[in-house]
Amino acid sequence: MMNPGGIAFDHVTFAYAGAPVLDDVSFDLPEGEFCLLVGPTGAGKSTLLKTVNGLVPHFTGGTMAGRITVAGREVHGSTPADLADLVGYVGQDPLAGFVTDEVERELAYTAEQLGVAPAAMRKRVTEIVDLLGLADVRDRDLAALSSGQRQRVAIGAALVAGPAALILDEPTSALDPTAADEVLSTLHRLVHDLGVTVLLAEHRLERVAQYADSALLLVGGKVTAGSVGQILAASPIAPPVVELGRLAGWPGPPVTIREARRHAAPLREALAGRHPAPPAATFKPARRKSPASESGPPLLDARALTVDYPGGVRAVNGVDLVAARCERIALMGRNGSGKSSLLWALQGTGKRSGGMVAIGGDDPAARKPAERRTLAGLVPAEPADLLYAEKVAAECDGADRDGRVPVGTCAKILEDLVEGIDGGTHPRDLSEGQRLALALAVTLTAAPPLLLLDEPTRGLDYPGKAALASRLGKLAEAGHCVVVSTHDVEFCAEFASRVVILSDGEVVADGPARQIVAASPMFSPQVEKVLPGWLTVAEVAEALGGNGVDGVGTAGNGTGDGAGT
């Protein structure tokens, strides 16, 4: 079904204008390789991926030199349509790339465009449905699917043509941990069972490292190739388990939980009797008599909140949520659990079917949009929805005016989140992570008392997420309440003082972050899996005095076999 072949770059250079995004890049991925592309936000990972199927430069412009081949075929001079039988591409937003409205029709579309005979097309679609576990949704509308199901449909649509290579840009960024594992396991099967060459860019490296055979590091336009361990050891961005290994001096360092556990015994001994520093914000549970009432009314008071959609779909079912100033709340749960619907209902723009919401005593739904934003600022899952100007600088200037803050405030926040964004750049020319950072900066400029963010870490690397957590923490310390809907368990560990978990529109857990995430294998961060009771590398470093301890890297007699999560 699949064509054999790998991906080769031979002295490839690409530039839009000025400094090149790709600078004399050469590497060779053999057939059936699962390769992870690593690099900071804005490094050019999406650009590199799009060169493989001709999206760059055919739809982006720019100047390109060098040679790219896939399965021995020259890419230069070919359009994405010419390469559809050779390269499957799945972008950051699968829904935006769909051209039909039903699963089976979407899977058949590419084969139809290639002129595949009806009988052969039906056979291919059936094979893809079975391979990706889509049999139970093959007749459903795409809009009714979960994010994980949409991602699998997008992969299936790319595979119908029988490509030799599959290119994916942050395929797990919108997925909960379980859905992400399902997608990555599917890719693993494609590589090992069908010999497909997979090149994947992802910021949530802790999810992908265990599946990858090799890695590429893109920094400053240059690419370094090597094993996953070699690349993550040299990379300026790395998952927590690698940072923990660096702190402890473990050889390698390990890149999976299983490897790390084999080294961790001396570190556990060094930490014996020590405890993480208490959180900056005190947890105040969501209940009728909130401790917040001891010093005044809560900032947010939502009671029996219900959100219904046409067709009898109940997204939020009688949720009570009380929150005080200074709280840092992570709203978690599987895709489709009602998190986004709850945020929009709290902000007042989303319609509610029942219940009440008060922010500082005011119902945001009863206010005009401009007034609503002074009560609660919401950054949606698609940050581009907040951006209207033609230049980054104009967006920042407008945010300063709207927020009535000193000129340069928004630009400073943006620089804290992601360095080096040119103010003259059009927002649509930014990477996904850079656009998100700009939308965050615009919203944070007004500093509303209640700040609601829907999946704010999509497209951000580890330093970007750390900067975001720091900024949100400072806002909480200043008296704001911050509620973040997220699937990113590592960000939750850095940011949250309290975790609320939704399932089927109802609150199923609400408590201190350390207590909730430690009790859930799905939402537990990497450090906690290696060192129970500890959530972040920073906590461990502080307990050890910031410099690690002698001897903690000597346990174990091997680096493991790469298994683990």
Side-chain angles (χ1 to χ4, degrees):
M1 177 178 170
M2 301 296 170
N3 300 319
I7 301 171
F9 275 52
D10 186 12
H11 299 288
V12 175
T13 297
F14 174 78
Y16 291 108
V21 179
L22 304 177
D23 186 5
D24 195 27
V25 172
S26 295
F27 62 84
D28 191 353
L29 302 182
E31 174 191 349
E33 186 87 351
F34 192 139
C35 183
L36 172 61
L37 178 59
V38 181
T41 296
K45 297 186 298 298
S46 295
T47 297
L48 187 151
L49 294 181
K50 291 175 181 177
T51 63
V52 181
N53 76 331
L55 282 170
V56 171
H58 287 282
F59 288 94
T60 62
T63 304
M64 188 168 179
R67 185 173 184 236
I68 302 173
T69 58
V70 180
R73 190 194 302 181
E74 183 79 43
V75 170
H76 178 70
S78 301
T79 67
D82 297 331
L83 298 167
D85 66 326
L86 188 67
V87 182
Y89 176 80
V90 181
Q92 293 176 343
D93 181 8
L95 192 60
F98 292 147
V99 294
T100 69
D101 54 5
E102 293 180 1
V103 171
E104 195 159 15
R105 291 174 62 188
E106 185 66 29
L107 293 176
Y109 178 81
T110 299
E112 290 175 342
Q113 300 305 302
L114 292 173
V116 177
M121 180 168 57
R122 284 194 295 272
K123 179 177 180 292
R124 287 189 186 184
V125 169
T126 299
E127 289 173 344
I128 294 299
V129 165
D130 292 339
L131 178 68
L132 300 182
L134 295 170
D136 58 338
V137 299
R138 67 186 300 167
D139 297 322
R140 291 177 61 181
D141 289 341
L142 291 165
L145 302 182
S146 71
S147 295
Q149 290 168 332
R150 289 175 187 167
Q151 195 69 266
R152 279 183 282 158
V153 171
I155 293 171
L159 287 174
V160 166
L166 187 60
I167 310 300
L168 303 103
D169 198 354
E170 296 202 46
T172 76
S173 63
L175 305 184
D176 64 66
T178 300
D181 280 342
E182 292 173 356
V183 168
L184 292 169
S185 295
T186 297
L187 295 175
H188 190 261
R189 285 187 60 195
L190 293 174
V191 169
H192 287 268
D193 295 349
L194 300 176
V196 177
T197 303
V198 171
L199 178 57
L200 177 154
E202 184 60 72
H203 280 305
R204 299 185 184 180
L205 303 176
E206 70 277 1
R207 291 179 168 182
V208 189
Q210 63 169 317
Y211 294 96
D213 301 311
S214 62
L216 302 172
L217 174 62
L218 176 59
V219 178
K222 300 290 188 179
V223 167
T224 304
S227 70
V228 178
Q230 289 172 333
I231 293 302
L232 293 183
S235 173
I237 60 170
V241 71
V242 173
E243 296 291 357
L244 183 64
R246 289 171 176 169
L247 174 71
W250 294 335
V255 299
T256 68
I257 300 300
R258 182 178 182 179
E259 292 171 346
R261 283 174 174 160
R262 293 177 175 179
H263 292 278
L267 182 54
R268 294 192 191 106
E269 293 177 4
L271 293 170
R274 308 185 193 190
H275 303 282
T282 302
F283 165 64
K284 299 176 176 63
R287 57 192 183 195
R288 292 284 177 180
K289 293 182 180 179
S290 170
S293 62
E294 297 173 3
S295 58
L299 174 64
L300 170 65
D301 192 355
R303 308 290 183 179
L305 186 58
T306 301
V307 177
D308 292 322
Y309 292 117
V313 177
R314 173 154 291 184
V316 180
N317 187 24
V319 166
D320 291 345
L321 185 61
V322 178
R325 292 180 180 274
C326 301
E327 287 205 76
R328 294 172 281 122
I329 302 172
L331 187 62
M332 307 189 79
R334 292 201 65 169
N335 292 105
S337 60
K339 301 185 299 298
S340 297
S341 296
L342 177 58
L343 290 186
W344 282 108
L346 293 176
Q347 198 266 346
T349 299
K351 293 183 179 180
R352 57 181 186 257
S353 307
M356 58 82 66
V357 176
I359 301 174
D362 290 333
D363 183 351
R367 297 279 188 157
K368 295 180 179 179
E371 297 173 336
R372 208 176 286 153
R373 288 192 291 270
T374 67
L375 296 174
L378 191 150
V379 177
E382 298 299 332
D385 293 345
L386 295 183
L387 306 176
Y388 304 99
E390 294 187 357
K391 294 183 179 181
V392 170
E395 287 286 0
C396 290
D397 291 343
D400 291 341
R401 289 193 301 271
D402 293 344
R404 298 180 181 180
V405 296
V407 174
T409 299
C410 181
K412 177 61 170 64
I413 295 174
L414 178 61
E415 183 69 13
D416 287 344
L417 293 173
V418 179
E419 296 181 357
I421 295 181
D422 186 347
T425 304
H426 196 293
R428 70 166 175 249
D429 292 329
L430 299 176
S431 71
E432 187 80 6
Q434 290 171 325
R435 273 196 302 274
L436 172 60
L438 178 57
L440 285 171
V442 168
T443 302
L444 291 172
T445 298
L450 177 63
L451 184 61
L452 309 168
L453 301 99
D454 195 357
E455 282 295 332
T457 63
R458 288 179 61 183
L460 293 182
D461 57 20
Y462 294 106
K465 289 190 284 189
L468 173 61
S470 176
R471 170 68 62 176
L472 297 180
K474 290 176 181 177
L475 285 171
E477 291 172 2
H480 302 275
C481 177
V482 184
V483 182
V484 175
S485 168
T486 183
H487 296 304
D488 192 331
V489 298
E490 302 301 339
F491 176 76
C492 175
E494 294 279 355
F495 156 77
S497 59
R498 170 182 169 189
V499 172
V500 177
I501 297 180
L502 291 186
S503 179
D504 296 325
E506 299 180 354
V507 174
V508 295
D510 185 354
R514 191 174 304 278
Q515 171 184 319
I516 297 296
V517 300
S520 171
M522 179 186 297
F523 300 116
S524 180
Q526 284 195 314
V527 172
E528 209 281 334
K529 291 176 180 178
V530 178
L531 303 171
W534 302 82
L535 300 186
T536 69
V537 177
E539 288 181 346
V540 177
E542 183 176 356
L544 298 176
N547 296 313
V549 294
D550 293 336
V552 300
T554 59
N557 54 9
T559 59
D561 57 9
T565 57

